[in-house]
Amino acid sequence: MKVLVVGGGGREHALVWKIAGSPRVSKVWCAPGNPGISECAECVPIGSNDINSLLAFAKENRADLTVVGPEAPLAAGIVDSFKRAGLRVFGPTKEAASLESSKAFAKDFCKRYGIPCGASETFSDAAAAKAYAAGGSLPVVVKADGLAAGKGVIICKSVAEAEAAIDEMLVSRSMGDAGRRVVVEEFLEGEEASFIAVCDGNHVLPLASSQDHKAAFDGDRGPNTGGMGAVSPAKVVTGDVARAVMERIMLPVARGMVTEGMPFVGALYAGLMIKDGEPRVLEFNARFGDPETQPLMVRMKNDLVDVLEAAVTGTLDRVELEWDTRPAACVVMASGGYPGAYEKGKVIGGLADAAALADVVVFHAGTRRAGDEIVTDGGRVLGVTALGVDMKSAIGRAYEAVSKISWEGVHCRKDIGHRAV
């Protein structure tokens, strides 16, 4: 079996790493990939948003399955294009991906189907948005409607901060087209967790729980990022909470999408806020999370190809997932300045030493090859992931590996997994 993976980040490295380990797979390509991915797959120099070239490559090379990692090509309709060509592809259609590509759509969808979430309204007029924000309780959350690489969310502790965030998106257009509309939303208190499931349009197969760390700095301070680290399982997602998430959120979403005429096939990610055992939705993603995929893949015992294929063929009800009982932790090593401005091209040292540690996998995210060196090429550079007999040891092993890697200006949080221990 030949598999094409679309993307070039840490999530895609984890997916490729897992897929390449399948005895069913004879060839793995990744477009565009990265230096880490090149160790277990053939990297193809095609951008993840170049749908026409990706389709031509898949057809010419007779890919048996294409797995789409990032949100942008999903929102652009890559799955629709591949399906029209008769190719098997894992991911939602452009319409179904609206759960992620439009926060306004997702909020309206939740209201229609009684899915628990915070109160909100959507605005394209700055004055109206400010009036709504001023009339509610504080803090208040201002979100760009469209895709903003995990950074289009601003928590505002005062009316002045809310007005500034609204102006930044609607007037200054700092988020570009993603901020043509904003969602002004109730601030939800509690503990965040990620709940990811694989869907085949009718069935929902939950993965192990996980927990992302969005804020840039220790203590959950600073601006939101695409994710500074993740652990699995999430302590806050008890058995009762998991059942509540399935019954009140995931299954209603799957049924609602069928009702709307856009069955969801792919990875459905619910970002949750949990308080007193009650889950509410913060956001939906229409793909595997990054960095949550990294600890999930090192824990999954199943052949991932079997799971993805069952989703594409509508037979997920026949799949039962098995997980390594050991917890996993992923620490993201980022460029200094991220999620703001940062420099690229810094030489990375110590990769081999870190990878040599037992139960450690170093997933590449923003890297490239420069001669004989591996250098930084993005904000989030590496996802250093480790298993341990318990969560404390998994976190310790991940940070042991982190300590062996270095480059000029490297930044990482020192408290990944603090809630889990």
Side-chain angles (χ1 to χ4, degrees):
M1 187 174 185
K2 296 183 287 187
V3 180
L4 169 64
V5 177
V6 175
R11 164 186 48 228
E12 289 76 36
H13 190 177
L15 292 172
V16 167
W17 174 82
K18 186 67 174 172
I19 290 168
S22 169
R24 299 181 56 199
V25 173
S26 59
K27 181 70 176 181
V28 186
W29 299 281
C30 189
N34 64 43
I37 292 173
S38 70
E39 296 178 4
C40 48
E42 180 183 339
C43 291
V44 180
I46 303 174
S48 59
N49 294 327
D50 188 351
I51 294 174
N52 290 336
S53 296
L54 291 167
L55 178 58
F57 179 89
K59 289 168 68 175
E60 180 181 346
N61 291 276
R62 299 181 181 178
D64 298 295
L65 177 67
T66 296
V67 182
V68 185
E71 60 271 28
L74 292 171
I78 186 173
V79 168
D80 309 70
S81 295
F82 272 60
K83 281 185 159 184
R84 282 194 296 269
L87 298 178
R88 294 201 303 177
V89 56
F90 177 85
T93 61
K94 181 177 182 177
E95 274 194 322
S98 296
L99 279 173
E100 176 172 10
S101 62
S102 173
K103 291 183 174 64
F105 171 86
K107 296 297 291 190
D108 290 342
F109 180 90
C110 287
K111 292 173 186 176
R112 284 197 296 277
Y113 294 97
I115 296 165
C117 62
S120 71
E121 292 292 342
T122 302
F123 302 92
S124 55
D125 178 74
K130 292 175 185 178
Y132 180 82
S137 58
L138 295 169
V140 67
V141 184
V142 177
K143 297 181 176 180
D145 173 51
L147 298 177
K151 297 183 279 291
V153 177
I154 302 176
I155 298 170
C156 307
K157 297 178 181 178
S158 67
V159 172
E161 287 183 10
E163 291 178 341
I166 291 165
D167 279 338
E168 182 181 330
M169 294 184 193
L170 288 180
V171 180
S172 300
R173 300 296 295 275
S174 64
M175 301 287 176
D177 285 345
R180 285 189 298 177
R181 294 191 298 175
V182 298
V183 175
V184 183
E185 182 175 318
E186 171 191 5
F187 176 80
L188 299 181
E189 294 184 342
E191 186 172 343
E192 288 191 48
S194 303
F195 198 97
I196 304 172
V198 177
C199 306
D200 67 4
N202 292 300
H203 308 104
V204 181
L205 183 67
L207 305 188
S209 65
S210 54
Q211 189 169 52
D212 189 10
H213 298 64
K214 286 286 188 188
F217 307 122
D218 290 5
D220 296 321
R221 295 177 297 106
N224 265 5
T225 71
M228 294 300 293
V231 297
S232 175
K235 187 176 181 181
V236 70
V237 182
T238 63
D240 287 342
V241 169
R243 281 187 288 274
V245 174
M246 284 295 290
E247 292 169 5
R248 301 175 200 170
I249 298 170
M250 306 304 278
L251 290 171
V253 168
R255 294 172 187 141
M257 293 298 277
V258 170
T259 301
E260 303 269 327
M262 52 180 87
F264 191 97
V265 176
L268 176 62
Y269 169 132
L272 305 173
M273 185 64 78
I274 301 166
K275 185 177 182 182
D276 300 327
E278 297 293 326
R280 290 203 279 175
V281 175
L282 291 171
E283 65 178 4
F284 288 114
N285 292 328
R287 36 73 188 181
F288 288 110
D290 189 351
E292 295 96 332
T293 301
Q294 288 85 309
L296 287 172
M297 289 301 103
V298 300
R299 291 191 65 213
M300 181 183 281
K301 286 189 168 184
N302 300 68
D303 186 329
L304 179 61
V305 173
D306 292 343
V307 180
L308 302 178
E309 193 171 46
V312 172
T313 58
T315 56
L316 271 179
D317 54 326
R318 303 177 193 172
V319 177
E320 186 172 335
L321 293 179
E322 294 183 56
W323 300 93
D324 194 318
T325 57
R326 294 175 296 171
C330 171
V331 177
V332 169
M333 301 182 72
S335 296
Y338 175 78
Y342 54 85
E343 295 181 358
K344 298 180 180 181
K346 305 297 183 182
V347 176
I348 304 170
L351 287 169
D353 292 338
L357 293 174
D359 297 321
V360 168
V361 186
V362 180
F363 293 114
H364 289 228
T367 66
R368 64 177 171 86
R369 191 173 296 279
D372 294 332
E373 308 282 4
I374 303 296
V375 301
T376 64
D377 197 43
R380 294 186 297 168
V381 178
L382 301 170
V384 181
T385 307
L387 289 161
V389 293
D390 54 26
M391 186 61 77
K392 186 175 181 180
S393 63
I395 294 167
R397 177 55 58 92
Y399 276 110
E400 180 185 357
V402 165
S403 71
K404 296 182 179 297
I405 301 171
S406 63
W407 68 84
E408 182 187 344
V410 61
H411 162 68
C412 69
R413 282 183 56 164
K414 302 297 192 296
D415 64 345
I416 299 302
H418 63 95
R419 291 191 184 90
V421 291

